[in-house]
Coordinates of all heavy atoms in Angstrom, one line a residue:
M1 N 0.9 -1.2 0.0 CA 0.0 0.0 0.0 C 0.9 1.2 0.0 O 1.8 1.4 0.8 CB -0.9 0.0 1.2 CG -1.8 1.2 1.3 SD -2.9 1.2 2.8 CE -4.3 0.4 2.1
T2 N 0.7 2.1 -0.9 CA 1.4 3.4 -1.0 C 0.7 4.5 -0.2 O -0.5 4.3 0.1 CB 1.6 3.8 -2.5 OG1 0.3 4.2 -3.0 CG2 2.3 2.8 -3.3
A3 N 1.3 5.6 -0.1 CA 0.7 6.7 0.6 C -0.6 7.2 -0.1 O -1.6 7.6 0.5 CB 1.6 7.9 0.8
D4 N -0.6 7.0 -1.5 CA -1.7 7.4 -2.2 C -2.9 6.5 -2.1 O -4.1 6.9 -2.3 CB -1.4 7.5 -3.7 CG -0.4 8.6 -4.0 OD1 -0.3 9.6 -3.3 OD2 0.3 8.5 -5.1
D5 N -2.7 5.3 -1.6 CA -3.8 4.3 -1.4 C -4.5 4.5 -0.1 O -5.5 3.9 0.2 CB -3.2 2.9 -1.5 CG -2.7 2.6 -2.9 OD1 -3.2 3.2 -3.9 OD2 -1.8 1.7 -3.0
K6 N -3.9 5.2 0.8 CA -4.5 5.4 2.2 C -5.8 6.2 2.1 O -5.9 7.1 1.3 CB -3.5 6.1 3.1 CG -2.3 5.2 3.5 CD -1.4 5.9 4.4 CE -0.2 5.1 4.7 NZ 0.8 5.8 5.6
P7 N -6.8 5.8 2.9 CA -8.0 6.6 2.9 C -7.7 8.1 3.3 O -6.9 8.3 4.2 CB -8.9 5.9 4.0 CG -8.2 4.6 4.2 CD -6.8 4.7 3.8
F8 N -8.5 9.0 2.7 CA -8.3 10.4 3.0 C -9.2 10.7 4.2 O -10.5 10.5 4.1 CB -8.7 11.2 1.8 CG -8.7 12.7 2.0 CD1 -7.4 13.3 2.1 CD2 -9.8 13.4 2.0 CE1 -7.4 14.7 2.3 CE2 -9.7 14.8 2.2 CZ -8.5 15.4 2.3
E9 N -8.7 11.2 5.3 CA -9.5 11.5 6.4 C -9.7 13.0 6.4 O -8.8 13.8 6.5 CB -8.7 11.1 7.7 CG -9.6 11.1 8.9 CD -9.0 10.4 10.1 OE1 -8.4 9.4 9.9 OE2 -9.2 10.9 11.2
Y10 N -11.0 13.4 6.3 CA -11.4 14.8 6.2 C -11.9 15.3 7.6 O -12.7 14.6 8.2 CB -12.4 15.0 5.1 CG -12.6 16.4 4.7 CD1 -11.8 16.9 3.7 CD2 -13.5 17.2 5.3 CE1 -11.9 18.2 3.2 CE2 -13.6 18.5 4.9 CZ -12.8 19.0 3.9 OH -13.0 20.3 3.5
P11 N -11.5 16.5 8.0 CA -12.0 17.0 9.3 C -13.5 17.3 9.2 O -14.0 17.8 8.2 CB -11.2 18.2 9.5 CG -10.7 18.7 8.2 CD -10.6 17.4 7.4
I12 N -14.2 17.0 10.2 CA -15.7 17.2 10.3 C -15.9 18.4 11.3 O -16.0 18.2 12.5 CB -16.5 16.0 10.7 CG1 -16.1 14.8 9.9 CG2 -18.0 16.3 10.7 CD1 -16.4 14.9 8.4
D13 N -15.9 19.6 10.7 CA -16.1 20.8 11.6 C -17.1 21.8 11.0 O -17.2 22.9 11.5 CB -14.7 21.5 11.7 CG -14.2 22.0 10.3 OD1 -14.9 21.8 9.3 OD2 -13.0 22.5 10.3
G14 N -17.9 21.3 10.0 CA -18.9 22.2 9.5 C -18.5 22.9 8.2 O -19.4 23.5 7.5
T15 N -17.3 22.8 7.8 CA -16.8 23.4 6.6 C -16.3 22.3 5.7 O -15.4 21.5 6.0 CB -15.7 24.4 6.8 OG1 -16.2 25.5 7.6 CG2 -15.2 25.0 5.5
L16 N -16.9 22.2 4.5 CA -16.5 21.2 3.5 C -15.9 21.9 2.3 O -16.6 22.7 1.6 CB -17.7 20.3 3.0 CG -17.4 19.4 1.9 CD1 -16.3 18.4 2.2 CD2 -18.7 18.7 1.5
D17 N -14.6 21.8 2.0 CA -14.0 22.4 0.9 C -14.0 21.4 -0.3 O -13.2 20.4 -0.3 CB -12.6 22.9 1.2 CG -11.9 23.7 0.1 OD1 -12.4 23.7 -1.0 OD2 -10.9 24.3 0.4
L18 N -14.8 21.6 -1.3 CA -14.9 20.7 -2.4 C -13.8 20.8 -3.4 O -13.7 20.0 -4.4 CB -16.2 20.8 -3.1 CG -17.4 20.4 -2.2 CD1 -18.7 20.8 -2.9 CD2 -17.4 18.9 -2.0
H19 N -12.8 21.7 -3.2 CA -11.7 21.9 -4.1 C -10.9 20.6 -4.1 O -10.2 20.3 -5.1 CB -10.8 23.0 -3.7 CG -11.4 24.4 -4.0 ND1 -12.0 25.1 -3.1 CD2 -11.5 25.0 -5.2 CE1 -12.4 26.3 -3.6 NE2 -12.1 26.2 -4.9
H20 N -10.9 19.8 -3.0 CA -10.2 18.6 -2.9 C -10.8 17.4 -3.7 O -10.1 16.3 -3.7 CB -10.1 18.2 -1.4 CG -9.5 19.2 -0.5 ND1 -8.1 19.5 -0.5 CD2 -10.0 20.1 0.3 CE1 -7.9 20.4 0.3 NE2 -9.0 20.8 0.9
F21 N -11.9 17.6 -4.2 CA -12.7 16.5 -4.8 C -13.0 16.7 -6.3 O -13.3 17.9 -6.6 CB -14.0 16.2 -4.0 CG -13.7 15.9 -2.6 CD1 -13.8 16.9 -1.6 CD2 -13.3 14.6 -2.2 CE1 -13.6 16.7 -0.3 CE2 -13.1 14.4 -0.8 CZ -13.2 15.4 0.1
A22 N -13.1 15.7 -7.1 CA -13.5 15.8 -8.5 C -15.0 16.1 -8.5 O -15.8 15.7 -7.7 CB -13.2 14.5 -9.2
P23 N -15.4 16.8 -9.6 CA -16.9 17.1 -9.7 C -17.7 15.8 -9.7 O -18.8 15.8 -9.1 CB -17.0 17.7 -11.1 CG -15.7 18.4 -11.3 CD -14.7 17.5 -10.6
S24 N -17.2 14.7 -10.2 CA -18.0 13.4 -10.2 C -18.2 12.9 -8.8 O -19.1 12.1 -8.6 CB -17.3 12.4 -11.1 OG -16.0 12.1 -10.7
D25 N -17.3 13.3 -7.9 CA -17.5 12.8 -6.5 C -18.3 13.8 -5.6 O -18.6 13.4 -4.5 CB -16.1 12.7 -5.9 CG -15.3 11.6 -6.5 OD1 -15.9 10.6 -7.1 OD2 -14.0 11.7 -6.6
T26 N -18.6 14.9 -6.1 CA -19.2 16.0 -5.3 C -20.5 15.5 -4.6 O -20.7 15.8 -3.4 CB -19.5 17.2 -6.2 OG1 -18.3 17.7 -6.7 CG2 -20.2 18.3 -5.4
K27 N -21.4 14.9 -5.3 CA -22.7 14.5 -4.8 C -22.5 13.6 -3.6 O -23.0 13.8 -2.5 CB -23.6 13.9 -5.8 CG -24.9 13.4 -5.3 CD -25.8 12.8 -6.4 CE -27.1 12.3 -5.8 NZ -28.0 11.7 -6.8
D28 N -21.7 12.5 -3.8 CA -21.5 11.5 -2.8 C -20.8 12.1 -1.6 O -21.2 11.8 -0.4 CB -20.8 10.3 -3.3 CG -21.6 9.5 -4.3 OD1 -22.8 9.6 -4.3 OD2 -21.0 8.8 -5.2
V29 N -19.8 12.9 -1.8 CA -19.0 13.5 -0.7 C -20.0 14.4 0.1 O -20.0 14.4 1.3 CB -17.8 14.3 -1.3 CG1 -17.2 15.2 -0.2 CG2 -16.8 13.4 -1.8
L30 N -20.8 15.2 -0.6 CA -21.7 16.1 0.1 C -22.7 15.4 0.9 O -23.0 15.7 2.1 CB -22.4 17.1 -0.9 CG -23.3 18.1 -0.3 CD1 -22.7 18.9 0.8 CD2 -23.9 18.9 -1.4
L31 N -23.3 14.4 0.4 CA -24.3 13.6 1.1 C -23.7 12.9 2.3 O -24.3 12.9 3.4 CB -24.9 12.5 0.2 CG -25.9 13.0 -0.9 CD1 -26.2 11.9 -1.9 CD2 -27.1 13.6 -0.2
E32 N -22.5 12.4 2.2 CA -21.8 11.7 3.3 C -21.5 12.8 4.4 O -21.7 12.5 5.6 CB -20.6 11.0 2.9 CG -19.8 10.3 4.0 CD -20.5 9.1 4.6 OE1 -21.4 8.5 3.9 OE2 -20.2 8.8 5.7
Y33 N -21.0 13.9 4.0 CA -20.6 15.0 4.9 C -21.9 15.5 5.7 O -21.8 15.7 6.9 CB -20.0 16.2 4.2 CG -19.3 17.1 5.1 CD1 -18.0 16.8 5.6 CD2 -19.8 18.3 5.5 CE1 -17.3 17.6 6.5 CE2 -19.2 19.1 6.4 CZ -17.9 18.8 6.8 OH -17.3 19.7 7.7
I34 N -23.0 15.7 5.0 CA -24.2 16.1 5.7 C -24.6 15.0 6.8 O -24.9 15.4 7.9 CB -25.4 16.3 4.7 CG1 -25.1 17.5 3.8 CG2 -26.7 16.4 5.4 CD1 -26.1 17.7 2.7
E35 N -24.6 13.8 6.4 CA -24.9 12.7 7.4 C -24.0 12.7 8.6 O -24.5 12.6 9.7 CB -25.0 11.4 6.7 CG -26.1 11.2 5.7 CD -27.5 11.7 6.2 OE1 -27.9 11.2 7.3 OE2 -28.1 12.5 5.5
V36 N -22.7 12.8 8.4 CA -21.8 12.8 9.5 C -22.0 14.1 10.4 O -22.0 14.0 11.6 CB -20.3 12.8 9.0 CG1 -19.3 12.9 10.1 CG2 -20.1 11.4 8.3
C37 N -22.2 15.2 9.7 CA -22.5 16.4 10.5 C -23.8 16.3 11.3 O -23.8 16.7 12.5 CB -22.6 17.7 9.6 SG -20.9 18.2 9.0
L38 N -24.8 15.7 10.8 CA -26.0 15.5 11.5 C -25.7 14.6 12.7 O -26.2 14.9 13.8 CB -27.1 14.9 10.6 CG -27.7 15.8 9.6 CD1 -28.6 15.0 8.6 CD2 -28.6 16.9 10.3
G39 N -24.9 13.6 12.5 CA -24.6 12.7 13.6 C -23.8 13.4 14.7 O -23.8 13.0 15.9
K40 N -23.1 14.5 14.4 CA -22.3 15.2 15.4 C -23.0 16.5 15.8 O -22.5 17.3 16.5 CB -20.9 15.6 14.7 CG -20.0 14.5 14.5 CD -18.7 15.0 13.9 CE -17.7 13.9 13.8 NZ -16.9 13.8 15.0
N41 N -24.3 16.6 15.4 CA -25.1 17.7 15.8 C -24.6 19.0 15.3 O -24.8 20.1 16.0 CB -25.4 17.7 17.3 CG -26.6 18.5 17.7 OD1 -27.6 18.5 16.9 ND2 -26.7 19.2 18.8
I42 N -23.9 19.0 14.2 CA -23.5 20.3 13.5 C -24.6 20.7 12.6 O -25.0 20.0 11.7 CB -22.2 20.0 12.7 CG1 -21.1 19.6 13.7 CG2 -21.8 21.3 11.9 CD1 -19.8 19.2 13.0
K43 N -25.2 21.8 12.8 CA -26.4 22.3 12.2 C -26.2 23.3 11.1 O -27.1 23.6 10.3 CB -27.5 22.7 13.2 CG -27.9 21.7 14.2 CD -28.5 20.5 13.5 CE -29.0 19.5 14.6 NZ -29.9 18.5 14.0
T44 N -25.1 24.0 11.1 CA -24.8 25.0 10.1 C -23.5 24.6 9.4 O -22.5 24.3 10.0 CB -24.6 26.4 10.7 OG1 -25.8 26.7 11.4 CG2 -24.3 27.4 9.6
L45 N -23.6 24.5 8.0 CA -22.5 24.0 7.2 C -22.1 25.1 6.3 O -22.9 26.0 5.9 CB -22.9 22.8 6.4 CG -23.5 21.6 7.1 CD1 -23.8 20.5 6.0 CD2 -22.7 21.1 8.2
R46 N -20.8 25.1 5.9 CA -20.3 26.0 4.9 C -19.7 25.1 3.8 O -18.7 24.4 4.1 CB -19.2 26.9 5.5 CG -18.6 27.9 4.5 CD -17.6 28.8 5.2 NE -17.0 29.7 4.3 CZ -15.7 29.5 3.9 NH1 -15.0 28.6 4.3 NH2 -15.2 30.4 3.0
I47 N -20.2 25.1 2.7 CA -19.8 24.3 1.6 C -19.0 25.2 0.6 O -19.6 26.0 -0.1 CB -20.9 23.6 0.8 CG1 -21.9 22.9 1.8 CG2 -20.4 22.6 -0.2 CD1 -21.2 21.8 2.7
V48 N -17.7 25.0 0.4 CA -16.9 25.7 -0.5 C -16.8 25.0 -1.8 O -16.2 23.9 -1.8 CB -15.5 26.0 0.1 CG1 -14.6 26.8 -0.8 CG2 -15.6 26.7 1.5
H49 N -17.4 25.5 -2.8 CA -17.4 24.8 -4.1 C -16.6 25.6 -5.1 O -16.4 25.1 -6.2 CB -18.9 24.6 -4.6 CG -19.8 25.8 -4.3 ND1 -19.7 27.0 -4.9 CD2 -20.8 25.9 -3.5 CE1 -20.6 27.8 -4.5 NE2 -21.3 27.1 -3.6
G50 N -16.2 26.8 -4.8 CA -15.5 27.6 -5.8 C -16.4 28.4 -6.7 O -17.6 28.1 -6.8
K51 N -15.8 29.4 -7.4 CA -16.6 30.2 -8.3 C -16.6 29.6 -9.7 O -17.6 29.3 -10.2 CB -16.0 31.6 -8.3 CG -16.2 32.3 -6.9 CD -15.7 33.7 -6.9 CE -15.9 34.3 -5.5 NZ -15.3 35.6 -5.4
G52 N -15.4 29.4 -10.3 CA -15.3 28.7 -11.5 C -16.4 28.9 -12.5 O -17.0 30.0 -12.6
I53 N -16.8 27.8 -13.2 CA -17.9 27.9 -14.2 C -19.2 27.4 -13.5 O -20.2 27.4 -14.2 CB -17.6 27.1 -15.5 CG1 -17.3 25.7 -15.2 CG2 -16.4 27.8 -16.2 CD1 -17.2 24.8 -16.4
G54 N -19.2 27.0 -12.3 CA -20.4 26.7 -11.5 C -20.8 25.2 -11.5 O -21.9 24.9 -11.1
V55 N -20.0 24.3 -12.0 CA -20.3 22.9 -12.1 C -20.6 22.4 -10.7 O -21.7 21.8 -10.4 CB -19.3 22.0 -12.8 CG1 -19.6 20.6 -12.7 CG2 -19.1 22.5 -14.2
K56 N -19.6 22.5 -9.8 CA -19.8 22.0 -8.4 C -20.9 22.8 -7.7 O -21.7 22.2 -6.9 CB -18.5 22.1 -7.6 CG -17.5 21.1 -8.1 CD -16.2 21.2 -7.2 CE -15.2 20.3 -7.7 NZ -13.9 20.4 -7.0
R57 N -21.0 24.1 -7.9 CA -22.1 24.9 -7.3 C -23.5 24.3 -7.6 O -24.4 24.2 -6.8 CB -22.0 26.3 -7.7 CG -23.1 27.2 -7.0 CD -22.9 28.7 -7.4 NE -23.1 28.9 -8.8 CZ -22.1 29.4 -9.6 NH1 -20.9 29.7 -9.1 NH2 -22.3 29.6 -10.9
E58 N -23.7 24.0 -8.9 CA -25.0 23.5 -9.4 C -25.2 22.1 -8.8 O -26.4 21.8 -8.4 CB -25.0 23.5 -10.9 CG -25.1 24.9 -11.5 CD -26.3 25.7 -10.9 OE1 -27.4 25.2 -10.8 OE2 -26.0 26.9 -10.5
I59 N -24.2 21.3 -8.7 CA -24.4 19.9 -8.0 C -24.8 20.1 -6.6 O -25.7 19.5 -6.1 CB -23.1 19.1 -8.2 CG1 -22.8 18.8 -9.6 CG2 -23.2 17.8 -7.3 CD1 -21.4 18.2 -9.9
V60 N -24.1 21.0 -5.9 CA -24.4 21.3 -4.5 C -25.8 21.8 -4.3 O -26.6 21.3 -3.5 CB -23.4 22.3 -3.9 CG1 -23.9 22.9 -2.5 CG2 -22.0 21.7 -3.8
R61 N -26.2 22.7 -5.1 CA -27.6 23.3 -5.0 C -28.6 22.2 -5.3 O -29.7 22.1 -4.7 CB -27.8 24.4 -6.0 CG -27.0 25.6 -5.6 CD -27.1 26.7 -6.6 NE -27.6 27.9 -5.9 CZ -28.2 28.9 -6.4 NH1 -28.4 28.9 -7.7 NH2 -28.6 29.9 -5.7
S62 N -28.4 21.3 -6.3 CA -29.3 20.2 -6.6 C -29.5 19.3 -5.4 O -30.6 18.9 -5.0 CB -28.8 19.5 -7.8 OG -29.6 18.4 -8.1
V63 N -28.3 18.9 -4.8 CA -28.4 18.0 -3.7 C -29.1 18.6 -2.5 O -30.0 18.0 -1.9 CB -26.9 17.6 -3.2 CG1 -26.9 16.8 -1.9 CG2 -26.3 16.7 -4.3
L64 N -28.8 19.9 -2.2 CA -29.4 20.5 -1.0 C -30.9 20.8 -1.2 O -31.6 20.7 -0.3 CB -28.7 21.9 -0.8 CG -27.2 21.8 -0.4 CD1 -26.6 23.2 -0.3 CD2 -27.0 21.0 0.9
S65 N -31.3 21.1 -2.4 CA -32.7 21.3 -2.7 C -33.6 20.1 -2.5 O -34.8 20.2 -2.2 CB -32.9 21.9 -4.1 OG -32.6 20.9 -5.1
K66 N -33.0 18.9 -2.5 CA -33.7 17.6 -2.4 C -33.5 17.0 -1.0 O -34.2 16.0 -0.7 CB -33.3 16.7 -3.5 CG -33.6 17.2 -4.9 CD -33.0 16.3 -5.9 CE -33.2 16.9 -7.3 NZ -32.3 16.3 -8.3
H67 N -32.5 17.4 -0.2 CA -32.2 16.7 1.0 C -33.2 17.0 2.1 O -33.5 18.2 2.4 CB -30.8 17.1 1.5 CG -30.2 16.2 2.5 ND1 -30.7 16.1 3.8 CD2 -29.3 15.2 2.3 CE1 -30.0 15.2 4.4 NE2 -29.2 14.6 3.5
P68 N -33.8 16.0 2.7 CA -34.8 16.2 3.7 C -34.4 17.0 5.0 O -35.3 17.5 5.7 CB -35.3 14.8 4.1 CG -34.2 13.9 3.7 CD -33.5 14.6 2.5
S69 N -33.1 17.0 5.3 CA -32.7 17.7 6.5 C -32.2 19.1 6.3 O -31.9 19.8 7.3 CB -31.5 16.9 7.1 OG -31.9 15.6 7.5
V70 N -32.3 19.6 5.1 CA -31.9 20.9 4.8 C -33.1 21.9 4.9 O -34.1 21.7 4.3 CB -31.3 21.0 3.3 CG1 -31.0 22.5 3.0 CG2 -30.0 20.2 3.2
I71 N -32.9 22.9 5.8 CA -33.9 23.9 6.1 C -33.9 24.9 5.0 O -34.8 25.3 4.3 CB -33.8 24.5 7.4 CG1 -34.0 23.5 8.5 CG2 -34.8 25.7 7.6 CD1 -33.7 23.9 9.9
N72 N -32.7 25.5 4.8 CA -32.4 26.4 3.7 C -30.9 26.5 3.4 O -30.1 26.0 4.2 CB -33.0 27.8 4.0 CG -32.4 28.5 5.2 OD1 -31.3 28.1 5.7 ND2 -33.1 29.5 5.7
F73 N -30.6 27.2 2.3 CA -29.2 27.4 1.9 C -29.1 28.7 1.2 O -30.1 29.2 0.6 CB -28.6 26.2 1.2 CG -29.4 25.9 -0.1 CD1 -28.9 26.4 -1.3 CD2 -30.4 25.0 -0.1 CE1 -29.6 26.1 -2.5 CE2 -31.1 24.7 -1.3 CZ -30.7 25.2 -2.5
R74 N -27.9 29.3 1.2 CA -27.7 30.6 0.6 C -26.2 30.8 0.3 O -25.4 30.1 0.9 CB -28.2 31.7 1.5 CG -27.5 31.8 2.8 CD -28.3 32.4 3.9 NE -27.7 32.2 5.2 CZ -27.8 31.2 6.0 NH1 -28.5 30.1 5.6 NH2 -27.2 31.1 7.2
H75 N -25.9 31.7 -0.6 CA -24.5 32.1 -0.9 C -24.0 32.7 0.4 O -24.7 33.5 1.0 CB -24.4 33.0 -2.1 CG -24.7 32.4 -3.4 ND1 -24.0 31.3 -3.9 CD2 -25.6 32.7 -4.3 CE1 -24.5 31.0 -5.0 NE2 -25.5 31.8 -5.3
E76 N -22.8 32.5 0.6 CA -22.1 33.1 1.8 C -21.9 34.6 1.5 O -21.5 34.9 0.4 CB -20.8 32.4 2.1 CG -20.2 32.9 3.4 CD -19.1 32.0 3.8 OE1 -18.2 31.7 3.0 OE2 -19.1 31.5 5.0
S77 N -22.2 35.4 2.4 CA -22.0 36.9 2.2 C -20.7 37.4 2.7 O -20.0 36.7 3.4 CB -23.2 37.6 2.9 OG -23.1 37.4 4.3
G78 N -20.4 38.6 2.3 CA -19.2 39.2 2.8 C -17.9 38.6 2.3 O -17.9 38.1 1.2
S79 N -16.9 38.6 3.1 CA -15.6 38.1 2.7 C -15.4 36.6 2.8 O -14.3 36.1 2.6 CB -14.5 38.9 3.5 OG -14.6 38.5 4.8
G80 N -16.5 35.9 3.2 CA -16.4 34.5 3.4 C -16.5 33.6 2.2 O -16.5 32.4 2.3
G81 N -16.5 34.2 1.0 CA -16.5 33.4 -0.2 C -17.5 33.8 -1.2 O -17.4 33.4 -2.4
G82 N -18.5 34.7 -0.8 CA -19.4 35.1 -1.8 C -20.1 34.0 -2.5 O -20.5 33.0 -1.9
W83 N -20.2 34.0 -3.8 CA -20.9 33.0 -4.5 C -20.0 31.7 -4.8 O -20.4 30.8 -5.4 CB -21.5 33.4 -5.8 CG -20.7 34.2 -6.7 CD1 -20.4 35.5 -6.7 CD2 -19.9 33.7 -7.9 NE1 -19.5 35.9 -7.7 CE2 -19.2 34.8 -8.4 CE3 -19.8 32.5 -8.5 CZ2 -18.4 34.7 -9.6 CZ3 -19.0 32.4 -9.6 CH2 -18.4 33.4 -10.1
G84 N -18.8 31.7 -4.1 CA -18.0 30.5 -4.2 C -18.2 29.6 -3.0 O -17.6 28.6 -2.9
A85 N -19.1 30.0 -2.1 CA -19.4 29.1 -1.0 C -20.9 29.2 -0.7 O -21.6 30.2 -0.9 CB -18.6 29.5 0.3
T86 N -21.5 28.1 -0.1 CA -22.9 28.1 0.2 C -23.0 27.7 1.7 O -22.3 26.8 2.2 CB -23.6 27.0 -0.6 OG1 -23.5 27.4 -2.0 CG2 -25.1 26.9 -0.2
V87 N -23.8 28.5 2.4 CA -24.1 28.2 3.8 C -25.4 27.4 3.9 O -26.4 27.8 3.2 CB -24.3 29.5 4.6 CG1 -24.6 29.3 6.1 CG2 -23.0 30.3 4.5
V88 N -25.4 26.4 4.7 CA -26.6 25.5 4.8 C -27.0 25.4 6.2 O -26.2 25.2 7.1 CB -26.2 24.0 4.3 CG1 -27.4 23.1 4.3 CG2 -25.5 24.1 3.0
D89 N -28.3 25.5 6.4 CA -28.9 25.3 7.8 C -29.6 23.9 7.8 O -30.5 23.7 6.9 CB -29.9 26.4 8.1 CG -29.3 27.7 8.2 OD1 -28.2 27.8 8.8 OD2 -29.8 28.7 7.6
L90 N -29.3 23.1 8.7 CA -29.9 21.7 8.8 C -30.9 21.7 10.0 O -30.7 22.4 10.9 CB -28.8 20.7 9.1 CG -27.7 20.6 8.0 CD1 -26.6 19.6 8.5 CD2 -28.3 20.2 6.7
E91 N -31.8 20.8 9.9 CA -32.8 20.6 11.0 C -32.1 20.0 12.2 O -31.2 19.3 12.1 CB -33.9 19.6 10.6 CG -34.8 20.1 9.5 CD -35.9 19.2 9.2 OE1 -35.7 17.9 9.2 OE2 -37.0 19.6 9.0

């Protein structure tokens, strides 16, 4: 087993930076992160998807709009990322 084969351990603190993940992994990573945060009673999330051309942002919005535990979500305001990050409120 090489260092590249080791599982990636991501901190669960309410902020998910999707820059580390391929667009094809975005949906699964986000769904898993939401579930783990719910298990840790983390109710406000910051999802950093980047500004770019909006591929990850659209995937994030699609997942959030259908997730039963999401109360609402919005672009982060101020210097916290603007439309490159989404803030999520969970039940």
Side-chain angles (χ1 to χ4, degrees):
M1 178 180 272
T2 67
D4 292 337
D5 294 333
K6 291 182 182 176
F8 179 68
E9 195 165 318
Y10 197 87
I12 308 299
D13 59 4
T15 298
L16 173 61
D17 187 346
L18 292 171
H19 287 103
H20 302 284
F21 303 97
S24 60
D25 295 330
T26 299
K27 179 180 178 181
D28 291 337
V29 168
L30 180 55
L31 287 170
E32 179 69 22
Y33 195 80
I34 290 171
E35 292 310 309
V36 172
C37 284
L38 286 168
K40 292 181 171 271
N41 205 32
I42 298 172
K43 300 297 185 171
T44 302
L45 310 181
R46 179 175 178 258
I47 311 300
V48 180
H49 39 68
K51 295 179 181 176
I53 60 172
V55 173
K56 289 182 183 177
R57 179 178 64 244
E58 290 307 314
I59 294 168
V60 166
R61 293 178 122 200
S62 175
V63 169
L64 296 176
S65 68
K66 298 172 189 165
H67 198 285
S69 296
V70 173
I71 297 170
N72 64 17
F73 58 93
R74 62 203 170 278
H75 290 300
E76 190 166 51
S77 61
S79 63
W83 51 277
T86 299
V87 176
V88 184
D89 296 316
L90 301 175
E91 291 184 322

